[in-house]
Each structure stands twice: as C-alpha cells, then as structure tokens.
Amino acid sequence: GLPLDSVSVFILPPSYEVLRERLIARGTDSPEELEVRLRNAPEELRQYSAFDYVIINDRVERAAGQLASIIYAERARCVRQEDLVRQVIKKFYSEK
C-alpha cells in the first residue's frame, strides 16, 4: 500500500477523445500499446473514488492550480508540521 503520509491524486481527462488525442500526440506508445491503454481507460477511470483527490484536466492552468492547492493544503496539515509547531510553541514559553 501507500505510505501513511502519502496523498493520492487522480488526474481525469475531460473526455475519451481528449485522452486519445493526448496519447497520440505524446507518441510514447506503439499502436498496439495505445489500443490497450484506450481499451482499459473506462475501467481505470472508475477507480477515481479510491483516490484522495480528483482533478479534471480540461485546462492545464486550472488543473495545475488545483494540484498546487492540494500540495499546499496537505503540507499545512497539523500532523505534518507537528515538530515545527512544537518549536514555535516552545519559543513562546522561553520568551516570556
């Protein structure tokens, strides 16, 4: 499984046709691999609810902004900042 402090983000293409166009434009798959990826896409898309977040990648600027927001919010979680927060709180007592 994923580490306990991991965050999963599902990047969802806005349509099958857009996915197809992007995969073709990328040019990293053979025609056979492309066919398999496109055939498997509907089943893979149904897995989105197993992720913490989902971003519909229809406009790159918006999608990038959403991803950045997720990263910033997750970094601000109390459990991720506990050591730093304790250091700040300790200073309050030492500066009195």
Side-chain angles (χ1 to χ4, degrees):
L2 293 172
L4 293 178
D5 64 344
S6 69
V7 176
S8 58
V9 180
F10 191 97
I11 309 291
L12 180 67
S15 70
Y16 178 88
E17 188 55 37
V18 168
L19 173 63
R20 186 177 166 282
E21 289 170 6
R22 289 176 180 173
L23 290 174
I24 290 170
R26 207 178 281 166
T28 55
D29 296 312
S30 70
E32 296 79 19
E33 292 169 325
L34 182 65
E35 184 182 326
V36 169
R37 289 188 71 176
L38 291 171
R39 190 175 340 117
N40 292 339
E43 182 58 36
E44 291 176 3
L45 296 180
R46 283 196 275 276
Q47 305 302 316
Y48 79 91
S49 63
F51 289 72
D52 297 314
Y53 297 92
V54 63
I55 295 174
I56 299 173
N57 189 12
D58 54 354
R59 292 196 331 266
V60 71
E61 298 85 10
R62 189 177 68 81
Q66 285 183 314
L67 183 58
S69 295
I70 291 166
I71 292 168
Y72 297 143
E74 287 295 329
R75 285 181 179 168
R77 279 189 183 267
C78 287
V79 297
R80 296 187 203 283
Q81 298 196 83
E82 200 163 335
D83 292 339
L84 179 61
V85 170
R86 284 185 178 155
Q87 291 172 23
V88 170
I89 291 171
K90 190 188 286 187
K91 287 181 188 175
F92 272 78
Y93 290 103
S94 66
E95 293 174 357
K96 282 175 44 173

